[in-house]
Coordinates of all heavy atoms in Angstrom, one line a residue:
P1 N 17.8 14.9 -10.6 CA 18.8 14.3 -9.8 C 18.8 12.8 -9.8 O 17.7 12.2 -9.8 CB 18.5 14.9 -8.4 CG 17.2 15.5 -8.5 CD 16.8 15.7 -9.9
Q2 N 19.9 12.2 -9.7 CA 20.0 10.8 -9.7 C 19.7 10.2 -8.3 O 20.2 10.7 -7.3 CB 21.4 10.3 -10.2 CG 21.5 8.9 -10.5 CD 22.9 8.6 -11.1 OE1 23.8 9.2 -10.8 NE2 22.9 7.5 -11.9
K3 N 19.0 9.1 -8.3 CA 18.6 8.5 -7.0 C 19.7 7.6 -6.5 O 20.4 7.0 -7.3 CB 17.3 7.7 -7.2 CG 16.1 8.5 -7.5 CD 14.9 7.6 -7.5 CE 13.7 8.4 -7.8 NZ 12.5 7.9 -7.3
K4 N 19.8 7.6 -5.1 CA 20.7 6.7 -4.5 C 20.2 5.2 -4.7 O 19.0 5.1 -4.8 CB 20.9 7.0 -3.0 CG 21.5 8.3 -2.8 CD 21.6 8.6 -1.3 CE 20.2 8.9 -0.7 NZ 20.1 9.3 0.6
R5 N 21.1 4.3 -4.8 CA 20.6 2.9 -5.0 C 19.7 2.4 -3.9 O 18.9 1.6 -4.1 CB 21.9 2.0 -5.0 CG 22.7 2.2 -6.2 CD 23.8 1.2 -6.3 NE 23.2 -0.1 -6.6 CZ 23.7 -1.0 -7.4 NH1 24.9 -0.8 -7.8 NH2 23.1 -2.1 -7.6
S6 N 19.8 3.0 -2.7 CA 19.0 2.5 -1.6 C 17.6 3.1 -1.6 O 16.7 2.7 -0.8 CB 19.7 2.7 -0.2 OG 20.0 4.1 -0.1
D7 N 17.4 4.2 -2.4 CA 16.1 4.8 -2.4 C 15.1 3.9 -3.2 O 15.5 3.1 -4.1 CB 16.2 6.2 -3.2 CG 16.8 7.2 -2.3 OD1 17.0 7.0 -1.1 OD2 17.2 8.3 -2.8
A8 N 13.8 4.1 -2.9 CA 12.8 3.2 -3.6 C 12.6 3.6 -5.1 O 12.5 4.8 -5.4 CB 11.5 3.4 -2.8
A9 N 12.6 2.6 -5.9 CA 12.3 2.9 -7.4 C 10.8 3.2 -7.5 O 10.4 4.0 -8.4 CB 12.7 1.7 -8.2
V10 N 10.0 2.7 -6.7 CA 8.6 2.9 -6.7 C 8.2 3.6 -5.4 O 8.6 3.0 -4.3 CB 7.8 1.6 -6.9 CG1 6.3 1.8 -6.8 CG2 8.1 0.9 -8.2
P11 N 7.5 4.7 -5.4 CA 7.1 5.3 -4.1 C 6.4 4.4 -3.1 O 5.6 3.6 -3.5 CB 6.2 6.5 -4.5 CG 6.6 6.7 -5.9 CD 6.9 5.4 -6.5
V12 N 6.8 4.4 -1.8 CA 6.1 3.7 -0.8 C 5.1 4.6 -0.1 O 5.4 5.8 0.2 CB 7.1 3.3 0.3 CG1 6.5 2.6 1.5 CG2 8.2 2.3 -0.3
I13 N 3.8 4.2 0.0 CA 2.8 5.0 0.6 C 2.8 4.7 2.1 O 2.6 3.6 2.5 CB 1.4 4.7 0.0 CG1 1.4 4.8 -1.5 CG2 0.4 5.6 0.6 CD1 2.0 6.1 -2.1
A14 N 3.2 5.7 2.8 CA 3.4 5.6 4.3 C 2.0 5.7 5.0 O 1.2 6.6 4.7 CB 4.3 6.7 4.8
N15 N 1.7 4.7 5.8 CA 0.4 4.8 6.5 C 0.3 5.9 7.6 O -0.8 6.1 8.0 CB 0.1 3.4 7.1 CG -0.4 2.4 6.2 OD1 -1.1 2.7 5.3 ND2 0.1 1.1 6.3
V16 N 1.4 6.5 8.0 CA 1.3 7.6 8.9 C 1.1 8.9 8.3 O 0.7 9.9 9.0 CB 2.5 7.6 9.9 CG1 2.6 6.3 10.7 CG2 3.8 7.8 9.1
T17 N 1.3 9.0 7.0 CA 1.2 10.3 6.3 C 0.1 10.2 5.1 O -0.3 11.2 4.7 CB 2.5 10.8 5.7 OG1 2.9 9.8 4.7 CG2 3.5 11.0 6.7
A18 N -0.2 9.0 4.7 CA -1.0 8.7 3.6 C -0.5 9.4 2.3 O -1.2 9.8 1.4 CB -2.5 9.1 3.8
G19 N 0.9 9.4 2.2 CA 1.5 10.0 1.1 C 2.8 9.2 0.7 O 3.2 8.3 1.4
P20 N 3.3 9.6 -0.4 CA 4.5 8.8 -1.0 C 5.8 9.2 -0.3 O 6.0 10.4 0.1 CB 4.5 9.2 -2.4 CG 3.9 10.6 -2.5 CD 2.9 10.6 -1.3
A21 N 6.7 8.2 -0.3 CA 8.1 8.4 0.2 C 9.0 7.6 -0.7 O 8.6 6.5 -1.1 CB 8.2 8.1 1.6
V22 N 10.1 8.2 -1.1 CA 11.1 7.4 -1.9 C 12.5 7.4 -1.3 O 13.2 6.4 -1.6 CB 11.2 8.0 -3.4 CG1 9.9 7.7 -4.1 CG2 11.6 9.4 -3.4
E23 N 12.8 8.3 -0.5 CA 14.2 8.3 0.1 C 14.2 7.3 1.2 O 13.4 7.2 2.1 CB 14.5 9.7 0.7 CG 14.6 10.8 -0.4 CD 15.0 12.1 0.2 OE1 15.3 12.2 1.4 OE2 14.9 13.1 -0.5
A24 N 15.3 6.5 1.2 CA 15.4 5.4 2.1 C 15.4 5.8 3.5 O 14.7 5.2 4.4 CB 16.8 4.6 1.8
S25 N 16.0 6.9 3.9 CA 16.0 7.4 5.2 C 14.6 7.8 5.7 O 14.2 7.6 6.9 CB 17.0 8.6 5.4 OG 16.7 9.7 4.6
E26 N 13.9 8.4 4.8 CA 12.5 8.8 5.1 C 11.6 7.6 5.3 O 10.8 7.6 6.2 CB 11.9 9.7 4.0 CG 10.5 10.2 4.3 CD 9.9 11.1 3.2 OE1 10.4 11.0 2.1 OE2 8.9 11.7 3.5
I27 N 11.8 6.6 4.5 CA 11.0 5.4 4.6 C 11.3 4.7 5.9 O 10.3 4.3 6.6 CB 11.2 4.4 3.4 CG1 10.7 5.1 2.1 CG2 10.6 3.1 3.6 CD1 11.1 4.4 0.8
R28 N 12.5 4.6 6.3 CA 12.9 4.0 7.6 C 12.2 4.8 8.7 O 11.7 4.2 9.7 CB 14.4 4.0 7.8 CG 15.0 2.8 7.0 CD 16.5 2.6 7.4 NE 17.3 3.7 7.0 CZ 17.9 3.9 5.9 NH1 17.7 3.0 4.9 NH2 18.7 5.0 5.7
R29 N 12.3 6.1 8.7 CA 11.8 6.9 9.7 C 10.2 6.8 9.8 O 9.7 6.6 10.9 CB 12.1 8.4 9.5 CG 11.5 9.4 10.5 CD 11.8 10.8 10.2 NE 11.2 11.3 9.0 CZ 9.9 11.6 8.8 NH1 9.1 11.4 9.8 NH2 9.4 12.0 7.7
L30 N 9.6 6.7 8.7 CA 8.1 6.6 8.7 C 7.7 5.2 9.1 O 6.6 5.1 9.8 CB 7.5 6.9 7.2 CG 7.6 8.3 6.8 CD1 7.4 8.5 5.3 CD2 6.8 9.2 7.7
L31 N 8.4 4.2 8.8 CA 8.1 2.8 9.3 C 8.2 2.8 10.8 O 7.4 2.1 11.5 CB 9.0 1.8 8.6 CG 8.7 1.4 7.2 CD1 9.8 0.6 6.6 CD2 7.3 0.8 7.1
A32 N 9.2 3.4 11.4 CA 9.4 3.4 12.8 C 8.2 4.2 13.5 O 7.7 3.8 14.5 CB 10.7 4.0 13.2
E33 N 7.9 5.3 12.8 CA 6.8 6.2 13.3 C 5.5 5.5 13.3 O 4.6 5.6 14.2 CB 6.7 7.4 12.5 CG 5.8 8.5 13.1 CD 5.9 9.8 12.3 OE1 6.9 10.2 11.7 OE2 4.8 10.4 12.2
Q34 N 5.3 4.5 12.3 CA 4.1 3.8 12.3 C 3.8 2.9 13.5 O 2.7 2.6 13.8 CB 4.1 2.9 11.0 CG 2.8 2.1 10.7 CD 2.9 1.5 9.4 OE1 3.0 2.1 8.4 NE2 2.8 0.2 9.3
V35 N 4.9 2.5 14.2 CA 4.8 1.6 15.3 C 4.0 2.4 16.5 O 3.2 1.7 17.2 CB 6.2 1.2 15.8 CG1 6.1 0.5 17.1 CG2 6.8 0.3 14.8
Y36 N 4.1 3.6 16.6 CA 3.6 4.3 17.7 C 2.6 5.4 17.3 O 2.1 6.2 18.1 CB 4.6 5.0 18.6 CG 5.6 6.0 17.9 CD1 5.2 7.3 17.7 CD2 6.8 5.5 17.4 CE1 6.0 8.2 17.1 CE2 7.6 6.4 16.8 CZ 7.2 7.8 16.6 OH 8.1 8.6 16.0
S37 N 2.2 5.5 16.0 CA 1.3 6.5 15.5 C 0.0 5.9 14.9 O 0.0 4.8 14.5 CB 2.0 7.4 14.4 OG 3.1 8.0 14.9
P38 N -1.0 6.7 14.8 CA -2.2 6.2 14.2 C -1.9 5.9 12.7 O -1.1 6.6 12.0 CB -3.2 7.4 14.3 CG -2.7 8.3 15.4 CD -1.2 8.1 15.4
V39 N -2.6 4.9 12.2 CA -2.5 4.5 10.8 C -3.6 5.2 10.0 O -4.8 5.1 10.4 CB -2.5 2.9 10.7 CG1 -2.6 2.5 9.2 CG2 -1.3 2.3 11.3
L40 N -3.2 5.8 8.9 CA -4.2 6.5 8.1 C -4.6 5.6 6.9 O -4.3 5.9 5.8 CB -3.6 7.8 7.6 CG -3.2 8.8 8.7 CD1 -2.6 10.0 8.1 CD2 -4.4 9.2 9.6
W41 N -5.1 4.4 7.3 CA -5.4 3.4 6.2 C -6.3 3.9 5.2 O -6.0 3.9 3.9 CB -6.0 2.2 6.9 CG -6.6 1.2 5.9 CD1 -7.8 0.9 5.6 CD2 -5.8 0.3 5.1 NE1 -7.9 0.0 4.6 CE2 -6.6 -0.5 4.3 CE3 -4.4 0.0 5.0 CZ2 -6.2 -1.4 3.4 CZ3 -4.0 -0.9 4.1 CH2 -4.9 -1.6 3.3
E42 N -7.5 4.5 5.5 CA -8.5 4.9 4.5 C -7.9 6.0 3.7 O -8.0 6.0 2.5 CB -9.8 5.3 5.2 CG -10.8 5.7 4.1 CD -12.2 5.9 4.7 OE1 -12.4 5.6 5.9 OE2 -13.1 6.5 4.0
D43 N -7.2 7.0 4.3 CA -6.5 8.0 3.6 C -5.5 7.5 2.6 O -5.4 8.0 1.5 CB -5.9 9.0 4.5 CG -6.9 9.8 5.4 OD1 -8.1 9.8 5.0 OD2 -6.5 10.4 6.4
S44 N -4.7 6.5 3.0 CA -3.7 5.9 2.1 C -4.4 5.3 0.9 O -3.9 5.4 -0.2 CB -2.9 4.8 2.9 OG -2.2 5.4 3.9
I45 N -5.5 4.5 1.1 CA -6.2 3.9 0.0 C -6.8 4.9 -0.9 O -6.7 4.8 -2.1 CB -7.3 2.9 0.5 CG1 -6.6 1.8 1.3 CG2 -8.1 2.3 -0.6 CD1 -5.5 1.0 0.6
R46 N -7.4 6.0 -0.3 CA -7.9 7.0 -1.2 C -6.9 7.8 -1.9 O -7.1 8.2 -3.1 CB -8.8 8.0 -0.3 CG -10.1 7.3 0.2 CD -11.1 8.4 0.8 NE -12.2 7.7 1.4 CZ -13.2 7.2 0.7 NH1 -13.2 7.2 -0.6 NH2 -14.2 6.6 1.3
Y47 N -5.7 7.9 -1.4 CA -4.6 8.5 -2.1 C -4.3 7.7 -3.3 O -4.1 8.2 -4.4 CB -3.4 8.7 -1.2 CG -2.1 9.2 -2.0 CD1 -2.0 10.5 -2.3 CD2 -1.2 8.2 -2.5 CE1 -0.9 10.9 -3.1 CE2 -0.1 8.7 -3.2 CZ 0.0 10.0 -3.5 OH 1.1 10.4 -4.3
L48 N -4.1 6.4 -3.1 CA -3.8 5.5 -4.2 C -4.9 5.5 -5.3 O -4.6 5.5 -6.5 CB -3.6 4.1 -3.7 CG -2.3 3.9 -2.9 CD1 -2.4 2.6 -2.1 CD2 -1.1 3.9 -3.8
I49 N -6.2 5.6 -4.9 CA -7.3 5.6 -5.9 C -7.1 6.9 -6.7 O -7.3 6.9 -7.9 CB -8.6 5.5 -5.1 CG1 -8.8 4.2 -4.5 CG2 -9.8 5.9 -6.1 CD1 -10.0 4.0 -3.6
G50 N -6.8 8.0 -6.0 CA -6.6 9.3 -6.6 C -5.5 9.3 -7.6 O -5.5 10.1 -8.6
Q51 N -4.5 8.4 -7.4 CA -3.4 8.3 -8.3 C -3.7 7.4 -9.5 O -2.9 7.1 -10.3 CB -2.2 7.8 -7.6 CG -1.7 8.7 -6.5 CD -1.3 10.1 -7.1 OE1 -0.5 10.2 -7.9 NE2 -2.0 11.1 -6.6
G52 N -4.9 6.8 -9.5 CA -5.4 5.9 -10.7 C -5.3 4.4 -10.4 O -5.5 3.7 -11.3
V53 N -4.9 4.1 -9.1 CA -4.9 2.7 -8.8 C -6.3 2.1 -8.7 O -7.1 2.7 -8.1 CB -4.1 2.4 -7.5 CG1 -4.2 1.0 -7.1 CG2 -2.7 2.9 -7.6
D54 N -6.5 1.0 -9.5 CA -7.9 0.4 -9.4 C -7.8 -1.1 -9.1 O -8.8 -1.7 -9.0 CB -8.6 0.6 -10.7 CG -7.9 -0.1 -11.9 OD1 -6.9 -0.7 -11.8 OD2 -8.4 0.1 -13.0
T55 N -6.6 -1.6 -8.9 CA -6.5 -3.0 -8.5 C -5.5 -3.1 -7.3 O -4.4 -2.5 -7.3 CB -5.9 -3.8 -9.7 OG1 -6.7 -3.7 -10.8 CG2 -5.7 -5.3 -9.3
F56 N -5.9 -3.8 -6.3 CA -5.1 -4.1 -5.1 C -4.9 -5.5 -4.9 O -5.9 -6.3 -5.1 CB -5.9 -3.5 -3.9 CG -5.9 -2.0 -3.9 CD1 -6.9 -1.3 -4.6 CD2 -5.0 -1.2 -3.1 CE1 -6.9 0.1 -4.6 CE2 -5.1 0.2 -3.2 CZ -6.0 0.8 -3.9
I57 N -3.7 -5.9 -4.5 CA -3.4 -7.3 -4.2 C -3.0 -7.5 -2.8 O -2.1 -6.8 -2.3 CB -2.2 -7.8 -5.1 CG1 -2.6 -7.6 -6.6 CG2 -1.9 -9.2 -4.9 CD1 -1.4 -7.7 -7.6
E58 N -3.8 -8.3 -2.1 CA -3.4 -8.7 -0.7 C -2.7 -10.0 -0.7 O -3.3 -11.0 -1.1 CB -4.7 -8.7 0.2 CG -4.4 -9.0 1.6 CD -5.6 -9.0 2.5 OE1 -6.7 -8.9 2.0 OE2 -5.4 -9.1 3.7
I59 N -1.5 -10.0 -0.1 CA -0.7 -11.2 0.0 C -0.7 -11.6 1.5 O -0.2 -10.8 2.3 CB 0.7 -11.1 -0.6 CG1 0.5 -10.7 -2.0 CG2 1.5 -12.4 -0.4 CD1 1.8 -10.4 -2.7
G60 N -1.2 -12.7 1.9 CA -1.2 -13.1 3.3 C -2.2 -14.2 3.5 O -2.9 -14.7 2.6
S61 N -2.4 -14.6 4.8 CA -3.2 -15.7 5.1 C -4.7 -15.4 5.1 O -5.5 -16.3 5.0 CB -2.8 -16.3 6.4 OG -3.0 -15.3 7.4
G62 N -5.1 -14.2 5.1 CA -6.5 -13.8 5.2 C -6.9 -12.8 4.1 O -6.2 -12.6 3.1
T63 N -8.1 -12.2 4.3 CA -8.6 -11.3 3.4 C -9.1 -10.0 4.1 O -10.0 -9.3 3.6 CB -9.7 -11.9 2.5 OG1 -10.7 -12.3 3.4 CG2 -9.2 -13.0 1.7
V64 N -8.6 -9.7 5.2 CA -9.1 -8.6 6.0 C -8.9 -7.3 5.3 O -9.8 -6.4 5.2 CB -8.4 -8.5 7.4 CG1 -8.7 -7.2 8.1 CG2 -8.8 -9.7 8.2
L65 N -7.7 -7.0 4.7 CA -7.4 -5.8 4.0 C -8.3 -5.7 2.8 O -8.8 -4.6 2.4 CB -5.9 -5.7 3.7 CG -5.0 -5.7 4.9 CD1 -3.5 -5.6 4.4 CD2 -5.3 -4.6 5.9
A66 N -8.5 -6.8 2.1 CA -9.4 -6.7 0.9 C -10.8 -6.3 1.3 O -11.4 -5.4 0.6 CB -9.4 -8.1 0.2
G67 N -11.3 -6.7 2.4 CA -12.6 -6.3 2.9 C -12.6 -4.9 3.2 O -13.6 -4.2 2.9
L68 N -11.6 -4.4 3.9 CA -11.5 -3.0 4.2 C -11.5 -2.1 3.0 O -12.1 -1.0 2.9 CB -10.3 -2.7 5.1 CG -10.3 -3.3 6.5 CD1 -9.0 -3.1 7.2 CD2 -11.5 -2.7 7.3
I69 N -10.8 -2.5 1.9 CA -10.7 -1.7 0.7 C -12.1 -1.7 0.0 O -12.5 -0.7 -0.5 CB -9.6 -2.3 -0.2 CG1 -8.2 -2.1 0.4 CG2 -9.7 -1.7 -1.6 CD1 -7.1 -2.8 -0.3
K70 N -12.7 -2.9 0.0 CA -14.1 -2.9 -0.6 C -15.0 -2.0 0.1 O -16.0 -1.5 -0.5 CB -14.6 -4.4 -0.6 CG -14.1 -5.2 -1.7 CD -14.6 -4.8 -3.0 CE -14.2 -5.7 -4.1 NZ -14.6 -5.2 -5.4
K71 N -14.9 -1.8 1.4 CA -15.8 -0.9 2.1 C -15.5 0.6 1.7 O -16.4 1.4 1.7 CB -15.6 -1.0 3.6 CG -16.2 -2.2 4.2 CD -16.0 -2.2 5.7 CE -16.7 -3.5 6.3 NZ -16.5 -3.5 7.8
I72 N -14.3 0.9 1.2 CA -14.0 2.2 0.8 C -14.6 2.4 -0.6 O -15.1 3.5 -1.0 CB -12.5 2.4 0.8 CG1 -12.0 2.4 2.2 CG2 -12.1 3.7 0.1 CD1 -10.5 2.3 2.4
D73 N -14.4 1.4 -1.6 CA -14.9 1.5 -2.9 C -15.1 0.2 -3.5 O -14.2 -0.6 -3.8 CB -13.9 2.3 -3.8 CG -14.3 2.6 -5.2 OD1 -15.2 1.9 -5.7 OD2 -13.8 3.6 -5.7
K74 N -16.4 -0.2 -3.7 CA -16.8 -1.5 -4.1 C -16.4 -1.8 -5.6 O -16.4 -2.9 -6.1 CB -18.3 -1.7 -4.0 CG -18.7 -1.8 -2.6 CD -20.2 -2.1 -2.5 CE -20.8 -2.0 -1.1 NZ -20.1 -2.6 0.0
S75 N -16.1 -0.7 -6.3 CA -15.8 -0.9 -7.8 C -14.3 -1.3 -8.0 O -14.0 -1.7 -9.1 CB -16.0 0.4 -8.5 OG -15.1 1.4 -8.2
L76 N -13.5 -1.4 -7.0 CA -12.1 -1.7 -7.1 C -11.9 -3.2 -7.3 O -12.7 -4.0 -6.8 CB -11.3 -1.2 -5.9 CG -11.3 0.2 -5.7 CD1 -10.7 0.6 -4.3 CD2 -10.5 1.0 -6.8
K77 N -10.9 -3.6 -8.0 CA -10.6 -5.0 -8.2 C -9.6 -5.4 -7.0 O -8.6 -4.7 -6.8 CB -9.8 -5.3 -9.5 CG -9.5 -6.7 -9.8 CD -9.0 -6.9 -11.2 CE -8.7 -8.4 -11.4 NZ -8.1 -8.7 -12.7
I78 N -10.0 -6.4 -6.3 CA -9.2 -6.9 -5.2 C -8.8 -8.4 -5.5 O -9.6 -9.2 -5.8 CB -10.0 -6.9 -3.9 CG1 -10.7 -5.5 -3.7 CG2 -9.1 -7.2 -2.7 CD1 -9.8 -4.4 -3.4
I79 N -7.5 -8.6 -5.4 CA -7.0 -10.0 -5.6 C -6.4 -10.4 -4.3 O -5.5 -9.7 -3.7 CB -5.9 -10.0 -6.7 CG1 -6.6 -9.6 -8.0 CG2 -5.3 -11.4 -6.8 CD1 -5.6 -9.3 -9.1
S80 N -6.8 -11.6 -3.7 CA -6.2 -12.1 -2.5 C -5.4 -13.3 -2.8 O -5.8 -14.3 -3.4 CB -7.3 -12.5 -1.6 OG -8.0 -11.4 -1.1
I81 N -4.1 -13.2 -2.5 CA -3.2 -14.4 -2.7 C -2.9 -14.9 -1.3 O -2.2 -14.3 -0.5 CB -1.9 -13.9 -3.3 CG1 -2.1 -13.1 -4.6 CG2 -0.9 -15.0 -3.5 CD1 -2.6 -13.9 -5.7
N82 N -3.5 -16.1 -1.0 CA -3.3 -16.7 0.3 C -3.0 -18.1 0.3 O -3.0 -18.8 1.4 CB -4.6 -16.4 1.2 CG -5.9 -16.9 0.5 OD1 -5.8 -17.7 -0.4 ND2 -7.0 -16.2 0.8
S83 N -2.6 -18.6 -0.9 CA -2.1 -20.0 -0.9 C -1.4 -20.2 -2.3 O -1.6 -19.4 -3.2 CB -3.3 -21.0 -0.9 OG -4.1 -20.8 -2.0
A84 N -0.7 -21.4 -2.4 CA 0.0 -21.6 -3.7 C -1.1 -21.7 -4.8 O -0.8 -21.3 -5.9 CB 0.8 -22.9 -3.6
S85 N -2.2 -22.4 -4.5 CA -3.2 -22.5 -5.6 C -3.8 -21.2 -6.0 O -4.2 -21.0 -7.2 CB -4.3 -23.5 -5.2 OG -5.0 -23.0 -4.0
S86 N -3.9 -20.2 -5.1 CA -4.4 -18.9 -5.5 C -3.4 -18.2 -6.4 O -3.9 -17.4 -7.2 CB -4.8 -18.1 -4.2 OG -3.7 -17.7 -3.5
V87 N -2.1 -18.4 -6.2 CA -1.2 -17.8 -7.0 C -1.3 -18.4 -8.4 O -1.3 -17.6 -9.4 CB 0.3 -18.1 -6.5 CG1 1.3 -17.6 -7.6 CG2 0.5 -17.4 -5.2
E88 N -1.5 -19.7 -8.5 CA -1.6 -20.3 -9.9 C -2.9 -19.9 -10.6 O -2.9 -19.8 -11.8 CB -1.5 -21.8 -9.7 CG -0.2 -22.3 -9.2 CD -0.1 -23.7 -8.7 OE1 -1.2 -24.4 -8.7 OE2 0.9 -24.1 -8.2
A89 N -3.9 -19.6 -9.8 CA -5.2 -19.3 -10.4 C -5.4 -17.8 -10.7 O -6.3 -17.4 -11.4 CB -6.3 -19.7 -9.4
T90 N -4.4 -17.0 -10.3 CA -4.6 -15.5 -10.4 C -4.0 -15.1 -11.8 O -2.9 -15.4 -12.1 CB -3.9 -14.8 -9.3 OG1 -4.5 -15.2 -8.1 CG2 -4.0 -13.3 -9.4
V91 N -4.9 -14.3 -12.5 CA -4.4 -13.7 -13.7 C -4.6 -12.2 -13.5 O -5.7 -11.7 -13.2 CB -5.3 -14.1 -14.9 CG1 -4.8 -13.4 -16.1 CG2 -5.1 -15.6 -15.1
I92 N -3.5 -11.4 -13.5 CA -3.6 -10.0 -13.3 C -3.7 -9.3 -14.6 O -3.1 -9.5 -15.5 CB -2.4 -9.5 -12.5 CG1 -2.4 -10.2 -11.1 CG2 -2.4 -8.0 -12.3 CD1 -1.1 -9.9 -10.3

């Protein structure tokens, strides 16, 4: 079946289910649910690892999420983008 233009081309891993979502309406519902529900951070990261993801990129002012991912699996590649110079220095 053909996807609607508003659906995600790449699945979004919802932190409240630790699973993928592609339908726009489902993603909106899950994002709202995340405001008042427990976040399944470790389950979400483990799901991604199980899908073959071995590199994670954290974009923001700190490296908190990178540290949490390293606690789950030290062998993963973590890239932190937290300044213009870090963007220029990063080779993926």
